[in-house]
C-alpha cells in the first residue's frame, strides 16, 4: 500500500513537472501570430431563437487583407443542435447581418471580387438563396415583414472625366478663379470638413458629397422608394410598430466641426412626405428604439459635450411625434449606456455598458428603478443580440487571454454555453501569462485600476524590464480583452503594465472628465504611481529598464512622460502629438481641444503651450521610436516629424517609421502586413535597448529644478 501511494505521488509529481516543462518550452505570442488570430465580427440571434448567425474575421496573409465569413448554427431551447454551417462563398467578405421578423430569412452585405451587394438566405435546411430585388443596403424589415427599409448613398458616376469627375474639388463658393477648369486637378477648399480619418482622399465640398438616404421596398422586392433627400447622412433606421413610420438619427451640422453635440432623431412616413425632427434640445439624441406596443420611443441623449450620457423614454402620438417631456431612466446611474433594446413585455430595456475593465449587459425598468447588471465576470461582451421572446441571448465575449468567441445564454445570463473555438488550436502551442489586477491610490484619494502581465518564463528573483502601455482617447479604457501587443512583449521577456488613469471611460462621468484642462499633468501622477505600485509588488522589475509606449493620446502621453520625468529608459510613440498648436490646425477634430482646453489656441495660449510635449522636449534622453501613418488625419504625421526632428537635434537615439496607405487606425485595422511589421518594430526597439543593449542607454538628465507639472505640489518620481 505504501509503495502504491509512493508511486502515485511520484506519478503526480512527474506529471506536474512535465506540464511545467512543456509550458516552459511553449513560446510566447509573436508578431506573426496576428495572422492566426480569428475574431468574431458580428452576432445575430434569429427572432424565433432557432438560429444564431455570426461572422468570423480571418487574416489572409498572402493577400494582405481581412475576410469575414458567415456561419449559421441551429439552436433548440438555447443550445446548439448541430455543426456551424458556412453560408458565405469561399472568397466573400460579409457584414451587416439582418434577420426577417419570423427568423426564416437572413440578409447581409457581401463583397466578392470587386462586386458588392445585399444577399438573402432562407435558413430552412438546406439554406437557399432568396431574390429580393431593389434592396441596396443592410435590410431592416417592418415588424409585419411586409416592407424593407435601408440606407444607401447613390454611387458616383465613374464614367465621368476631367472637372466633372472631380465634382466638389473646387468649392462652389470659391472667390478665386482658374484659367482652365479641365487642367485644374488641385483643391480649392472653403469648408472646415475637408478631411476625415479613415477616408484617405480629401473630402469634396459638403454640397457635392453623396450621403446615405432612407429607402423602402416591398419585402418581395421591387423599385425602391426614396423617403429622404437630406444634406446629411441618415443612420439607425427603426420601424414604428404599425409600419406606418420610420425613425432615424442624423447630424444636420456635421460639416461644421464644433464642441457642440448636434445629432437628432427624425421621423418620416413610409409613403414619404415631410421629414420631421423630433428632438431639438441642446445636445445629441440617437439610437432610437420603439417599444413593443409602439407607444414609446427610447433613445440615448447627452445634453452637452462632457455631459452625462443617459437613456431616455418618450411617449409617441398617432402621427409618430414625441409628446410630453421624455423621462430619464439612468439619472442616478453614472456609467454610459449603450444602444437600448426593449424587453418583450415593454416593461424594461437592456443595453451594454463598460464598467471598469469589463463590458456587460444591464437592464433598467421602465419605472426608472435601479439599473441591474445581467452578465458578470472579468470579460468584455459585445454584439449582444436577443431572441424576440428574450429567452435566449447570443453575444461575443473576450478576456485578457482569449480572443472573442460566440456564446449563448438564457434570459438572465444563466446556462451560458460557448459555441465557437476559433483560437484554441494555435493558442495551445503558446504560453500566455495570466493578467493580474492591481490598484493604487493617488494623492487626491482616487483609486486607479491597472493590470500586470509577467514575462513568459518568469523566475522569482531574476531581474526583468517592464513596459508601461498607455491607451488612447483619452476617454478610452483598457480592460479584459485580448491585446496581442501585451502578450507579445510578455513573450519577449517583459513585464507589461497597463491601466485606466483619470480621464478613462467606464468609471463615471466625473472620473472621465477629471483631466479636462489638465491633460498629461493629472494622469502622469496616475501612471508614475502605477509604476511604483508594480515595482512594490514585483521587486524583479528592473528600476533602470523601464519603457513606455502608447498610441494617439497614448503617444502624446509617451512624449510627455519622457519630457517631464526621467523615469523611462526607452519609448515607442505611435501617432502621437508634439505641439497642440499645430495639431489643432491640422487634425480633422480640432473641436476636441477646444472643449478639453477651454477654448481656441489664441484664447488659451498658455495652456496649449504648457501642455505641448515639444515645450519640454529638451529634457528627453530616452531612445524613442516614432511610428506614423502617412494618411492619418486624426493625428497628422507632421506631429511625429516635429518630435523626430527635435530628438535628432538633441542627439537622442531615434527612428521614424512612416507607413504608407495607412490612417489613424493602423494598429487596429491597417493592412495586415503593415500592422505586423509595426508590432515587430515596437518589440525589437524595446528588446534592443532594455534587454540586448541597456549598456548603450544615454545617461538620464536630472530633472530641471523649479519646474512643477504636477498637482498638489507633488514632484515627478526620479528614475534612480
Amino acid at each position: 500500500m505504501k509503495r502504491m501511494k509512493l508511486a502515485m505521488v511520484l506519478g503526480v509529481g512527474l506529471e506536474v513537472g512535465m506540464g511545467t516543462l512543456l509550458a516552459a518550452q511553449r513560446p510566447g505570442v509573436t508578431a506573426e501570430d496576428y495572422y492566426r488570430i480569428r475574431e468574431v465580427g458580428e452576432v445575430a440571434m434569429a427572432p424565433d431563437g432557432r438560429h444564431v448567425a455570426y461572422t468570423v474575421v480571418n487574416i489572409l496573409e498572402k493577400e494582405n487583407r481581412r475576410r469575414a465569413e458567415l456561419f449559421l448554427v441551429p439552436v433548440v431551447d438555447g443550445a446548439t443542435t448541430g455543426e456551424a454551417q458556412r453560408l458565405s462563398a469561399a472568397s466573400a467578405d460579409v457584414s451587416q447581418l439582418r434577420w426577417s421578423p419570423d427568423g426564416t430569412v437572413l440578409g447581409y452585405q457581401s463583397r466578392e471580387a470587386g462586386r458588392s451587394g445585399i444577399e438573402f438566405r432562407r435558413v430552412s435546411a438546406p439554406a437557399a438563396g432568396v431574390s429580393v430585388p431593389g434592396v441596396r443596403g443592410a435590410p431592416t424589415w417592418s415588424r409585419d415583414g411586409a416592407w424593407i427599409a435601408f440606407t444607401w448613398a447613390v454611387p458616383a458616376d465613374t464614367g465621368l472625366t476631367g472637372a466633372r469627375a472631380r465634382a466638389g474639388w473646387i468649392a462652389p463658393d470659391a472667390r478665386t478663379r482658374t484659367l482652365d477648369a479641365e487642367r485644374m486637378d488641385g483643391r480649392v477648399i472653403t469648408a472646415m470638413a475637408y478631411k476625415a480619418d479613415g477616408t484617405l482622399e480629401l473630402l469634396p465640398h459638403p454640397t457635392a458629397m453623396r450621403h446615405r438616404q432612407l429607402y423602402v421596398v416591398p419585402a418581395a422586392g421591387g423599385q425602391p422608394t426614396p423617403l429622404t433627400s437630406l444634406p446629411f447622412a441618415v443612420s439607425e433606421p427603426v420601424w414604428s410598430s404599425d409600419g406606418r413610420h420610420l425613425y432615424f438619427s442624423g447630424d444636420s451640422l456635421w460639416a461644421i466641426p464644433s464642441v457642440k453635440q448636434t445629432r437628432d432623431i427624425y421621423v418620416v412616413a413610409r409613403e414619404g412626405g415631410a421629414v420631421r425632427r423630433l428632438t431639438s434640445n441642446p445636445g445629441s439624441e440617437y439610437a432610437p428604439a420603439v417599444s413593443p406596443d409602439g407607444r414609446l420611443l427610447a433613445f440615448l441623449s447627452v445634453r452637452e459635450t462632457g455631459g452625462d450620457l443617459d437613456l431616455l423614454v418618450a411617449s409617441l402620438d398617432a402621427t409618430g411625434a414625441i409628446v410630453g417631456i421624455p423621462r430619464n431612466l439612468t439619472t442616478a446611474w453614472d456609467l454610459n449606456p449603450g444602444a437600448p433594446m426593449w424587453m418583450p413585455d415593454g416593461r424594461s430595456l437592456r443595453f451594454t455598458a463598460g464598467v471598469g475593465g469589463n463590458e456587460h449587459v444591464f437592464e433598467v425598468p421602465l419605472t426608472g428603478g435601479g439599473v441591474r447588471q445581467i452578465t458578470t465576470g472579468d470579460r468584455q461582451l459585445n454584439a449582444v443580440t436577443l431572441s424576440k421572446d428574450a429567452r435566449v441571448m447570443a453575444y461575443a465575449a473576450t478576456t485578457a487571454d482569449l480572443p472573442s468567441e460566440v456564446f449563448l445564454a438564457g434570459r438572465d445570463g444563466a446556462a451560458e454555453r460557448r459555441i465557437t473555438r476559433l483560437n484554441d488550436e494555435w493558442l495551445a502551442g503558446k504560453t500566455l501569462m495570466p493578467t493580474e489586477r492591481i490598484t493604487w491610490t493617488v494623492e487626491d484619494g482616487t483609486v486607479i485600476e491597472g493590470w500586470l502581465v509577467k514575462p513568459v518564463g518568469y523566475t522569482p528573483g531574476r531581474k526583468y524590464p517592464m513596459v508601461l502601455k498607455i491607451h488612447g482617447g483619452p476617454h478610452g479604457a483598457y480592460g479584459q480583452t485580448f491585446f496581442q501587443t501585451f502578450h507579445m512583449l510578455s513573450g519577449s521577456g517583459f513585464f507589461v503594465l497597463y491601466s485606466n488613469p483619470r480621464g478613462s471611460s467606464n468609471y463615471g462621468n466625473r472620473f472621465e472628465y477629471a483631466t479636462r484642462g489638465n491633460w498629461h499633468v493629472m494622469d502622469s501622477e496616475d501612471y508614475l504611481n502605477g509604476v511604483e505600485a508594480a515595482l512594490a509588488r514585483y521587486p524583479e522589475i528592473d528600476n533602470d529598464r523601464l519603457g513606455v509606449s502608447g498610441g494617439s493620446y497614448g503617444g502624446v502621453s509617451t512624449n510627455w512622460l519622457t519630457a517631464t520625468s526621467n523615469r523611462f529608459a526607452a519609448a515607442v510613440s505611435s501617432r502621437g502629438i508634439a505641439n497642440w498648436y499645430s495639431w489643432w490646425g491640422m487634425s480633422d477634430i480640432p473641436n476636441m481641444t477646444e472643449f478639453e482646453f477651454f477654448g481656441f489656441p489664441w484664447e488659451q495660449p498658455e495652456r496649449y503651450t504648457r501642455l505641448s510635449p515639444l515645450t519640454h522636449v529638451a529634457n528627453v534622453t530616452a531612445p524613442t521610436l516614432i511610428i506614423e501613418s502617412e494618411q492619418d488625419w486624426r493625428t497628422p504625421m507632421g506631429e511625429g516629424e516635429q518630435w523626430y526632428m527635435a530628438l535628432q537635434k538633441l542627439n537622442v537615439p531615434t527612428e521614424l517609421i512612416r507607413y504608407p496607405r495607412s490612417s489613424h487606425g493602423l494598429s487596429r485595422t491597417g493592412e495586415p502586413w503593415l500592422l505586423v511589421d509595426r508590432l515587430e518594430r515596437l518589440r525589437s526597439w524595446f528588446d534592443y535597448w532594455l534587454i540586448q543593449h541597456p549598456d548603450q542607454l544615454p545617461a538620464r538628465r536630472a530633472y530641471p529644478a523649479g519646474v512643477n507639472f504636477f498637482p498638489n505640489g507633488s514632484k515627478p518620481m526620479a528614475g534612480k
Side-chain angles (χ1 to χ4, degrees):
M1 190 68 178
K2 290 182 179 180
R3 288 182 179 178
M4 184 178 293
K5 286 183 178 180
L6 179 60
M8 290 175 64
V9 170
L10 289 173
V12 171
L14 182 61
E15 182 178 324
V16 171
M18 286 299 293
T20 303
L21 179 61
L22 290 173
Q25 291 175 339
R26 292 197 303 265
V29 172
T30 65
E32 301 97 308
D33 286 326
Y34 179 76
Y35 296 122
R36 306 171 71 183
I37 298 174
R38 304 179 73 200
E39 291 276 0
V40 178
E42 301 178 43
V43 180
M45 187 79 226
D48 61 6
R50 295 182 179 179
H51 294 88
V52 60
Y54 59 90
T55 59
V56 177
V57 180
N58 297 284
I59 310 300
L60 308 180
E61 180 178 359
K62 292 183 179 179
E63 300 175 36
N64 195 30
R65 67 182 181 91
R66 299 169 183 81
R67 182 179 66 213
E69 300 176 350
L70 173 61
F71 293 86
L72 183 73
V73 181
V75 177
V76 174
D77 294 329
T80 58
T81 60
E83 296 294 323
Q85 174 189 2
R86 190 175 75 181
L87 294 188
S88 55
S91 58
D93 185 30
V94 173
S95 62
Q96 302 183 82
L97 310 184
R98 302 289 190 274
W99 283 101
S100 63
D102 61 4
T104 62
V105 176
L106 178 67
Y108 51 90
Q109 176 86 33
S110 179
R111 296 177 178 84
E112 183 178 7
R115 181 178 60 86
S116 177
I118 301 298
E119 296 185 4
F120 295 86
R121 286 282 187 133
R122 192 172 301 280
V123 297
S124 54
V130 177
S131 176
V132 186
V135 180
R136 293 164 180 163
T140 300
W141 276 267
S142 58
R143 294 189 183 183
D144 61 5
W147 297 89
I148 292 176
F150 62 92
T151 63
W152 181 61
V154 178
D157 187 344
T158 56
L160 298 177
T161 60
R164 295 179 63 202
R166 299 189 293 272
W169 284 30
I170 298 179
D173 57 350
R175 293 181 174 86
T176 59
R177 66 185 184 89
T178 182
L179 296 174
D180 190 336
E182 290 300 313
R183 293 186 66 182
M184 174 56 182
D185 57 356
R187 304 267 182 164
V188 180
I189 298 167
T190 60
M192 282 191 282
Y194 67 91
K195 55 186 175 182
D197 192 68
T199 303
L200 301 185
E201 287 287 334
L202 293 177
L203 303 178
H205 191 273
T207 57
M209 291 190 66
R210 299 171 184 266
H211 303 286
R212 283 189 169 272
Q213 300 299 316
L214 183 61
Y215 297 80
V216 293
V217 68
Q223 183 64 31
T225 300
L227 300 187
T228 63
S229 181
L230 300 168
F232 57 90
V234 168
S235 61
E236 304 175 318
V238 177
W239 286 93
S240 63
S241 61
D242 59 10
R244 295 173 55 192
H245 298 93
L246 278 149
Y247 299 90
F248 62 89
S249 67
D251 184 356
S252 62
L253 300 179
W254 69 273
I256 307 173
S258 169
V259 299
K260 297 179 180 179
Q261 297 280 340
T262 54
R263 291 187 67 82
D264 280 300
I265 295 175
Y266 299 79
V267 65
V268 65
R270 187 191 68 213
E271 293 81 8
V275 174
R276 291 175 288 161
R277 187 172 69 178
L278 299 184
T279 58
S280 58
N281 295 320
S284 283
E285 289 78 32
Y286 58 98
V290 178
S291 64
D293 63 8
R295 297 179 179 179
L296 301 171
L297 182 71
F299 54 92
L300 298 179
S301 175
V302 57
R303 293 186 64 83
E304 60 184 353
T305 300
D308 290 312
L309 178 65
D310 284 306
L311 173 56
L312 274 57
V313 173
S315 297
L316 299 173
D317 65 16
T319 71
I322 290 177
V323 293
I325 300 174
R327 288 179 291 135
N328 189 337
L329 302 186
T330 54
T331 302
W333 198 67
D334 198 30
L335 299 178
N336 295 328
M341 300 175 284
W342 283 95
M343 296 301 282
D345 59 9
R347 296 180 179 179
S348 61
L349 293 118
R350 284 192 176 180
F351 51 83
T352 59
V355 50
N358 301 319
E359 182 101 6
H360 280 294
V361 178
F362 294 82
E363 184 172 329
V364 62
L366 194 59
T367 56
V371 175
R372 180 170 68 99
Q373 185 171 332
I374 302 300
T375 57
T376 59
D378 285 331
R379 53 185 180 154
Q380 293 191 359
L381 274 59
N382 58 75
V384 177
T385 177
L386 294 85
S387 60
K388 185 177 180 180
D389 60 11
R391 292 179 58 193
V392 186
M393 286 195 298
Y395 45 81
T398 177
T399 66
D401 55 5
L402 182 69
S404 60
E405 302 282 355
V406 182
F407 292 79
L408 292 178
R411 178 188 180 101
D412 287 330
E416 184 180 78
R417 300 173 177 86
R418 176 180 166 187
I419 67 171
T420 60
R421 297 192 175 276
L422 305 175
N423 297 281
D424 287 8
E425 183 176 352
W426 77 268
L427 284 175
K430 297 290 180 177
T431 298
L432 272 67
M433 300 301 288
T435 300
E436 302 175 22
R437 181 175 179 269
I438 180 174
T439 62
W440 56 93
T441 303
V442 294
E443 189 163 343
D444 70 357
T446 302
V447 176
I448 307 300
E449 182 177 34
W451 295 268
L452 267 172
V453 185
K454 292 195 293 288
V456 170
Y458 165 75
T459 303
R462 177 183 169 187
K463 285 291 187 179
Y464 297 91
M466 183 178 78
V467 174
L468 167 67
K469 289 291 294 178
I470 303 176
H471 69 64
H475 308 307
Y478 279 141
Q480 296 295 333
T481 186
F482 186 84
F483 281 99
Q484 183 189 358
T485 306
F486 303 166
H487 291 295
M488 177 188 69
L489 289 170
S490 167
S492 294
F494 295 90
F495 272 88
V496 181
L497 170 66
Y498 56 104
S499 65
N500 289 333
R502 285 168 291 181
S504 303
S505 58
N506 296 355
Y507 298 86
N509 185 270
R510 181 178 177 183
F511 188 99
E512 184 170 354
Y513 290 97
T515 55
R516 187 183 179 197
N518 212 18
W519 278 11
H520 318 315
V521 176
M522 180 176 286
D523 38 329
S524 287
E525 181 186 1
D526 303 356
Y527 295 129
L528 294 172
N529 278 282
V531 169
E532 295 304 311
L535 288 166
R537 175 173 289 199
Y538 285 103
E540 290 85 357
I541 298 172
D542 191 335
N543 188 61
D544 293 328
R545 291 188 293 152
L546 301 177
V548 59
S549 173
S552 193
Y553 186 81
V556 65
S557 296
T558 295
N559 297 344
W560 177 269
L561 285 169
T562 57
T564 60
S565 79
N566 58 3
R567 202 70 179 95
F568 300 99
V572 177
S573 175
S574 298
R575 55 197 186 281
I577 295 161
N579 182 348
W580 284 116
Y581 264 95
S582 56
W583 175 89
W584 177 87
M586 295 190 296
S587 175
D588 66 337
I589 55 167
N591 47 301
M592 182 176 73
T593 52
E594 291 165 23
F595 170 74
E596 297 282 355
F597 290 4
F598 296 100
F600 299 109
W602 54 88
E603 295 173 329
Q604 297 284 339
E606 185 277 335
R607 196 186 307 270
Y608 276 78
T609 301
R610 178 171 54 87
L611 298 183
S612 291
L614 195 62
T615 301
H616 319 290
V617 69
N619 301 314
V620 177
T621 58
T624 302
L625 174 66
I626 301 166
I627 300 175
E628 296 293 332
S629 296
E630 292 185 349
Q631 293 168 312
D632 182 349
W633 305 140
R634 188 62 40 87
T635 56
M637 190 173 63
E639 293 301 316
E641 290 178 310
Q642 290 182 69
W643 198 244
Y644 173 76
M645 185 60 68
L647 296 186
Q648 285 283 340
K649 295 287 187 179
L650 291 166
N651 295 316
V652 175
T654 183
E655 291 181 13
L656 170 64
I657 303 174
R658 300 167 47 125
Y659 284 110
R661 304 178 305 280
S662 299
S663 66
H664 193 67
L666 169 64
S667 65
R668 299 176 295 275
T669 59
E671 288 182 18
W673 155 242
L674 298 181
L675 189 155
V676 170
D677 185 78
R678 175 190 173 278
L679 285 170
E680 176 57 21
R681 290 187 185 277
L682 181 152
R683 187 206 68 81
S684 59
W685 183 261
F686 282 129
D687 180 73
Y688 182 93
W689 291 107
L690 302 183
I691 293 180
Q692 301 299 329
H693 301 286
D695 56 303
Q696 297 180 15
L697 286 167
R700 298 185 217 179
R701 293 186 179 92
Y703 197 79
V707 178
N708 181 19
F709 301 101
F710 294 84
N712 305 320
S714 60
K715 288 270 186 139
M717 299 171 185
K720 295 184 181 180

